[in-house]
Short mmCIF file of all heavy atoms in Angstrom, two decimals:
data_model
loop_
_atom_site.label_atom_id
_atom_site.label_comp_id
_atom_site.label_asym_id
_atom_site.label_seq_id
_atom_site.Cartn_x
_atom_site.Cartn_y
_atom_site.Cartn_z
N VAL L 1 0.86 -1.18 0.00
CA VAL L 1 0.00 0.00 0.00
C VAL L 1 0.90 1.23 0.00
O VAL L 1 1.75 1.39 0.86
CB VAL L 1 -0.93 0.00 1.24
CG1 VAL L 1 -1.78 1.26 1.25
CG2 VAL L 1 -1.79 -1.24 1.24
N ILE L 2 0.68 2.07 -0.99
CA ILE L 2 1.48 3.27 -1.11
C ILE L 2 0.61 4.45 -0.73
O ILE L 2 -0.46 4.66 -1.31
CB ILE L 2 2.03 3.43 -2.53
CG1 ILE L 2 2.91 2.23 -2.89
CG2 ILE L 2 2.79 4.74 -2.68
CD1 ILE L 2 3.35 2.19 -4.32
N VAL L 3 1.04 5.21 0.25
CA VAL L 3 0.32 6.39 0.68
C VAL L 3 1.14 7.61 0.30
O VAL L 3 2.29 7.73 0.67
CB VAL L 3 0.08 6.35 2.21
CG1 VAL L 3 -0.62 7.62 2.66
CG2 VAL L 3 -0.71 5.12 2.60
N ASP L 4 0.51 8.48 -0.45
CA ASP L 4 1.18 9.70 -0.87
C ASP L 4 0.98 10.77 0.20
O ASP L 4 -0.15 11.23 0.40
CB ASP L 4 0.61 10.17 -2.20
CG ASP L 4 1.34 11.38 -2.76
OD1 ASP L 4 2.15 11.99 -2.03
OD2 ASP L 4 1.09 11.72 -3.92
N PRO L 5 2.02 11.17 0.93
CA PRO L 5 1.86 12.17 1.98
C PRO L 5 1.47 13.54 1.43
O PRO L 5 1.05 14.42 2.17
CB PRO L 5 3.22 12.21 2.67
CG PRO L 5 4.18 11.71 1.65
CD PRO L 5 3.41 10.73 0.79
N GLY L 6 1.56 13.72 0.11
CA GLY L 6 1.17 14.98 -0.48
C GLY L 6 -0.34 15.11 -0.66
O GLY L 6 -0.82 16.15 -1.06
N LEU L 7 -1.10 14.04 -0.39
CA LEU L 7 -2.54 14.07 -0.53
C LEU L 7 -3.21 13.79 0.81
O LEU L 7 -3.73 12.71 1.07
CB LEU L 7 -3.00 13.03 -1.57
CG LEU L 7 -2.48 13.19 -2.99
CD1 LEU L 7 -2.93 12.04 -3.86
CD2 LEU L 7 -2.95 14.51 -3.58
N PRO L 8 -3.22 14.75 1.72
CA PRO L 8 -3.80 14.50 3.05
C PRO L 8 -5.32 14.55 3.02
O PRO L 8 -5.91 15.37 2.32
CB PRO L 8 -3.24 15.64 3.89
CG PRO L 8 -3.09 16.77 2.90
CD PRO L 8 -2.69 16.10 1.60
N ASN L 9 -5.94 13.64 3.75
CA ASN L 9 -7.38 13.68 3.94
C ASN L 9 -7.68 14.61 5.11
O ASN L 9 -6.83 14.87 5.95
CB ASN L 9 -7.93 12.28 4.21
CG ASN L 9 -7.70 11.37 3.02
OD1 ASN L 9 -7.69 11.80 1.88
ND2 ASN L 9 -7.50 10.10 3.29
N GLU L 10 -8.90 15.09 5.17
CA GLU L 10 -9.28 16.03 6.21
C GLU L 10 -10.72 15.76 6.63
O GLU L 10 -11.57 15.46 5.80
CB GLU L 10 -9.17 17.47 5.67
CG GLU L 10 -9.55 18.54 6.64
CD GLU L 10 -9.45 19.93 6.04
OE1 GLU L 10 -9.40 20.06 4.81
OE2 GLU L 10 -9.44 20.88 6.83
N THR L 11 -11.00 15.83 7.93
CA THR L 11 -12.35 15.68 8.44
C THR L 11 -12.76 16.97 9.14
O THR L 11 -12.00 17.51 9.94
CB THR L 11 -12.44 14.49 9.43
OG1 THR L 11 -12.10 13.30 8.73
CG2 THR L 11 -13.84 14.36 9.99
N ILE L 12 -13.95 17.44 8.82
CA ILE L 12 -14.48 18.65 9.43
C ILE L 12 -15.80 18.29 10.09
O ILE L 12 -16.66 17.66 9.47
CB ILE L 12 -14.70 19.75 8.39
CG1 ILE L 12 -13.37 20.13 7.74
CG2 ILE L 12 -15.38 20.97 9.01
CD1 ILE L 12 -13.50 21.10 6.59
N GLU L 13 -15.95 18.65 11.35
CA GLU L 13 -17.20 18.45 12.07
C GLU L 13 -17.83 19.80 12.35
O GLU L 13 -17.15 20.76 12.69
CB GLU L 13 -16.96 17.71 13.38
CG GLU L 13 -16.55 16.27 13.18
CD GLU L 13 -16.41 15.51 14.48
OE1 GLU L 13 -16.34 16.15 15.55
OE2 GLU L 13 -16.38 14.28 14.44
N THR L 14 -19.15 19.85 12.18
CA THR L 14 -19.90 21.06 12.46
C THR L 14 -21.24 20.67 13.06
O THR L 14 -21.56 19.48 13.16
CB THR L 14 -20.08 21.92 11.19
OG1 THR L 14 -20.64 23.17 11.55
CG2 THR L 14 -20.93 21.23 10.16
N VAL L 15 -22.01 21.64 13.47
CA VAL L 15 -23.30 21.39 14.10
C VAL L 15 -24.38 22.15 13.33
O VAL L 15 -24.19 23.31 12.96
CB VAL L 15 -23.27 21.84 15.58
CG1 VAL L 15 -24.65 21.73 16.21
CG2 VAL L 15 -22.26 21.01 16.36
N ILE L 16 -25.49 21.47 13.09
CA ILE L 16 -26.65 22.11 12.46
C ILE L 16 -27.63 22.47 13.57
O ILE L 16 -28.13 21.60 14.27
CB ILE L 16 -27.31 21.17 11.44
CG1 ILE L 16 -26.31 20.75 10.36
CG2 ILE L 16 -28.54 21.85 10.81
CD1 ILE L 16 -26.81 19.63 9.47
N ALA L 17 -27.87 23.75 13.74
CA ALA L 17 -28.79 24.21 14.79
C ALA L 17 -30.23 23.87 14.41
O ALA L 17 -30.57 23.83 13.22
CB ALA L 17 -28.63 25.71 14.98
N PRO L 18 -31.09 23.62 15.40
CA PRO L 18 -32.49 23.27 15.11
C PRO L 18 -33.20 24.30 14.24
O PRO L 18 -34.02 23.95 13.39
CB PRO L 18 -33.13 23.19 16.49
CG PRO L 18 -32.01 22.88 17.42
CD PRO L 18 -30.81 23.57 16.84
N GLY L 19 -32.90 25.57 14.41
CA GLY L 19 -33.56 26.61 13.64
C GLY L 19 -33.12 26.71 12.19
O GLY L 19 -33.70 27.47 11.41
N ASN L 20 -32.10 25.96 11.80
CA ASN L 20 -31.60 26.03 10.43
C ASN L 20 -32.38 25.15 9.45
O ASN L 20 -32.14 25.21 8.25
CB ASN L 20 -30.12 25.64 10.38
CG ASN L 20 -29.24 26.69 11.01
OD1 ASN L 20 -29.71 27.73 11.44
ND2 ASN L 20 -27.95 26.40 11.11
N TRP L 21 -33.28 24.30 9.96
CA TRP L 21 -34.05 23.40 9.09
C TRP L 21 -35.27 24.13 8.54
O TRP L 21 -35.93 24.87 9.24
CB TRP L 21 -34.49 22.16 9.87
CG TRP L 21 -33.34 21.31 10.32
CD1 TRP L 21 -32.74 21.35 11.53
CD2 TRP L 21 -32.66 20.31 9.56
NE1 TRP L 21 -31.72 20.43 11.58
CE2 TRP L 21 -31.65 19.77 10.37
CE3 TRP L 21 -32.81 19.81 8.27
CZ2 TRP L 21 -30.80 18.76 9.95
CZ3 TRP L 21 -31.95 18.80 7.85
CH2 TRP L 21 -30.96 18.30 8.69
N THR L 22 -35.59 23.89 7.27
CA THR L 22 -36.73 24.50 6.60
C THR L 22 -37.57 23.41 5.95
O THR L 22 -37.03 22.48 5.35
CB THR L 22 -36.25 25.48 5.50
OG1 THR L 22 -35.36 26.42 6.08
CG2 THR L 22 -37.40 26.19 4.85
N TYR L 23 -38.90 23.54 6.04
CA TYR L 23 -39.80 22.61 5.38
C TYR L 23 -39.97 22.99 3.91
O TYR L 23 -40.09 24.17 3.57
CB TYR L 23 -41.19 22.62 6.04
CG TYR L 23 -41.25 21.82 7.32
CD1 TYR L 23 -41.26 22.46 8.55
CD2 TYR L 23 -41.31 20.44 7.29
CE1 TYR L 23 -41.33 21.74 9.73
CE2 TYR L 23 -41.38 19.70 8.46
CZ TYR L 23 -41.39 20.35 9.68
OH TYR L 23 -41.45 19.62 10.83
N ILE L 24 -39.98 21.97 3.04
CA ILE L 24 -40.30 22.15 1.62
C ILE L 24 -41.20 20.99 1.19
O ILE L 24 -41.43 20.05 1.97
CB ILE L 24 -39.02 22.22 0.74
CG1 ILE L 24 -38.19 20.94 0.86
CG2 ILE L 24 -38.19 23.44 1.07
CD1 ILE L 24 -37.03 20.87 -0.14
N ASN L 25 -41.69 21.01 -0.03
CA ASN L 25 -42.53 19.94 -0.58
C ASN L 25 -43.74 19.65 0.29
O ASN L 25 -43.97 18.50 0.68
CB ASN L 25 -41.72 18.65 -0.81
CG ASN L 25 -40.58 18.83 -1.79
OD1 ASN L 25 -40.62 19.70 -2.63
ND2 ASN L 25 -39.56 18.01 -1.65
N ASN L 26 -44.51 20.67 0.60
CA ASN L 26 -45.73 20.49 1.42
C ASN L 26 -45.42 19.85 2.77
O ASN L 26 -46.13 18.96 3.22
CB ASN L 26 -46.78 19.68 0.67
CG ASN L 26 -47.29 20.40 -0.55
OD1 ASN L 26 -47.42 21.63 -0.53
ND2 ASN L 26 -47.56 19.67 -1.61
N ASN L 27 -44.35 20.27 3.38
CA ASN L 27 -43.91 19.78 4.70
C ASN L 27 -43.51 18.30 4.71
O ASN L 27 -43.46 17.69 5.76
CB ASN L 27 -44.97 20.04 5.77
CG ASN L 27 -45.14 21.51 6.05
OD1 ASN L 27 -44.26 22.31 5.75
ND2 ASN L 27 -46.27 21.88 6.60
N GLU L 28 -43.21 17.74 3.53
CA GLU L 28 -42.77 16.34 3.46
C GLU L 28 -41.26 16.21 3.57
O GLU L 28 -40.74 15.12 3.76
CB GLU L 28 -43.24 15.70 2.16
CG GLU L 28 -44.75 15.55 2.07
CD GLU L 28 -45.19 14.95 0.75
OE1 GLU L 28 -44.32 14.58 -0.07
OE2 GLU L 28 -46.41 14.87 0.53
N THR L 29 -40.55 17.33 3.45
CA THR L 29 -39.09 17.31 3.47
C THR L 29 -38.57 18.45 4.33
O THR L 29 -39.04 19.58 4.23
CB THR L 29 -38.52 17.46 2.04
OG1 THR L 29 -39.06 16.44 1.21
CG2 THR L 29 -37.01 17.37 2.04
N LEU L 30 -37.59 18.13 5.17
CA LEU L 30 -36.82 19.15 5.90
C LEU L 30 -35.48 19.29 5.20
O LEU L 30 -34.86 18.29 4.84
CB LEU L 30 -36.59 18.71 7.35
CG LEU L 30 -37.68 19.01 8.35
CD1 LEU L 30 -37.40 18.29 9.66
CD2 LEU L 30 -37.78 20.50 8.59
N THR L 31 -35.03 20.50 5.04
CA THR L 31 -33.76 20.72 4.36
C THR L 31 -32.96 21.81 5.05
O THR L 31 -33.52 22.69 5.69
CB THR L 31 -33.99 21.08 2.87
OG1 THR L 31 -32.73 21.18 2.22
CG2 THR L 31 -34.74 22.38 2.72
N THR L 32 -31.66 21.71 4.93
CA THR L 32 -30.76 22.75 5.40
C THR L 32 -29.51 22.73 4.53
O THR L 32 -29.10 21.68 4.04
CB THR L 32 -30.39 22.58 6.88
OG1 THR L 32 -29.62 23.71 7.32
CG2 THR L 32 -29.57 21.32 7.13
N THR L 33 -28.93 23.88 4.33
CA THR L 33 -27.69 23.98 3.57
C THR L 33 -26.60 24.51 4.48
O THR L 33 -26.77 25.53 5.13
CB THR L 33 -27.87 24.91 2.35
OG1 THR L 33 -28.87 24.35 1.50
CG2 THR L 33 -26.58 25.04 1.57
N VAL L 34 -25.48 23.79 4.51
CA VAL L 34 -24.33 24.15 5.34
C VAL L 34 -23.22 24.63 4.41
O VAL L 34 -22.86 23.93 3.45
CB VAL L 34 -23.85 22.95 6.18
CG1 VAL L 34 -22.67 23.34 7.03
CG2 VAL L 34 -24.99 22.40 7.03
N GLN L 35 -22.71 25.81 4.67
CA GLN L 35 -21.65 26.38 3.84
C GLN L 35 -20.32 25.65 4.12
O GLN L 35 -19.95 25.46 5.28
CB GLN L 35 -21.51 27.87 4.10
CG GLN L 35 -22.76 28.66 3.76
CD GLN L 35 -23.21 28.47 2.32
OE1 GLN L 35 -22.42 28.58 1.40
NE2 GLN L 35 -24.50 28.19 2.15
N PHE L 36 -19.64 25.26 3.05
CA PHE L 36 -18.33 24.63 3.13
C PHE L 36 -17.42 25.30 2.10
O PHE L 36 -17.34 24.85 0.96
CB PHE L 36 -18.40 23.12 2.86
CG PHE L 36 -18.71 22.31 4.06
CD1 PHE L 36 -20.02 22.00 4.38
CD2 PHE L 36 -17.70 21.84 4.89
CE1 PHE L 36 -20.32 21.24 5.49
CE2 PHE L 36 -18.00 21.08 6.01
CZ PHE L 36 -19.32 20.79 6.31
N PRO L 37 -16.73 26.38 2.47
CA PRO L 37 -15.84 27.03 1.51
C PRO L 37 -14.70 26.10 1.07
O PRO L 37 -14.06 26.36 0.05
CB PRO L 37 -15.32 28.25 2.26
CG PRO L 37 -15.58 27.99 3.70
CD PRO L 37 -16.74 27.05 3.77
N GLU L 38 -14.48 25.03 1.83
CA GLU L 38 -13.43 24.06 1.46
C GLU L 38 -13.76 23.33 0.16
O GLU L 38 -12.89 22.77 -0.48
CB GLU L 38 -13.25 23.02 2.58
CG GLU L 38 -12.77 23.59 3.90
CD GLU L 38 -13.90 24.14 4.75
OE1 GLU L 38 -15.09 24.05 4.36
OE2 GLU L 38 -13.60 24.67 5.83
N ILE L 39 -15.05 23.33 -0.23
CA ILE L 39 -15.43 22.68 -1.48
C ILE L 39 -15.27 23.70 -2.61
O ILE L 39 -16.24 24.26 -3.13
CB ILE L 39 -16.88 22.13 -1.41
CG1 ILE L 39 -17.06 21.24 -0.18
CG2 ILE L 39 -17.20 21.33 -2.68
CD1 ILE L 39 -18.49 20.77 0.04
N ASP L 40 -14.03 23.94 -2.95
CA ASP L 40 -13.72 24.85 -4.05
C ASP L 40 -13.81 24.08 -5.37
O ASP L 40 -14.06 22.88 -5.37
CB ASP L 40 -12.34 25.49 -3.83
CG ASP L 40 -11.22 24.47 -3.72
OD1 ASP L 40 -11.42 23.29 -4.10
OD2 ASP L 40 -10.14 24.84 -3.24
N PRO L 41 -13.64 24.74 -6.52
CA PRO L 41 -13.77 24.03 -7.79
C PRO L 41 -12.85 22.82 -7.93
O PRO L 41 -13.26 21.78 -8.45
CB PRO L 41 -13.44 25.11 -8.84
CG PRO L 41 -13.91 26.38 -8.19
CD PRO L 41 -13.56 26.20 -6.72
N ALA L 42 -11.61 22.93 -7.47
CA ALA L 42 -10.68 21.78 -7.57
C ALA L 42 -11.12 20.63 -6.68
O ALA L 42 -11.09 19.47 -7.09
CB ALA L 42 -9.27 22.23 -7.21
N THR L 43 -11.53 20.93 -5.45
CA THR L 43 -12.01 19.89 -4.54
C THR L 43 -13.26 19.24 -5.10
O THR L 43 -13.41 18.03 -5.08
CB THR L 43 -12.30 20.49 -3.15
OG1 THR L 43 -11.08 21.02 -2.63
CG2 THR L 43 -12.84 19.45 -2.19
#
C-alpha cells in the first residue's frame, strides 16, 4: 500500500442548529444547507 503524503485527507465536524431546518414539498421534506468554503472548484 502506497500512501502519498502529499494528498492529506481532512475531516471537518460542524453542528446544524435546530432553527436552520426549513420545510419544503408540502412539509414532506426538511432541508438545510451548510456552507463549506473548502469545497472549491478543484475539490
Side-chain angles (χ1 to χ4, degrees):
V1 178
I2 299 172
V3 177
D4 184 350
L7 299 176
N9 297 329
E10 179 181 17
T11 299
I12 298 174
E13 291 184 344
T14 188
V15 173
I16 302 169
N20 290 357
W21 295 95
T22 305
Y23 281 104
I24 59 171
N25 299 335
N26 295 324
N27 292 340
E28 293 178 5
T29 304
L30 274 170
T31 185
T32 186
T33 298
V34 180
Q35 298 304 311
F36 274 91
E38 296 84 3
I39 307 174
D40 58 16
T43 298

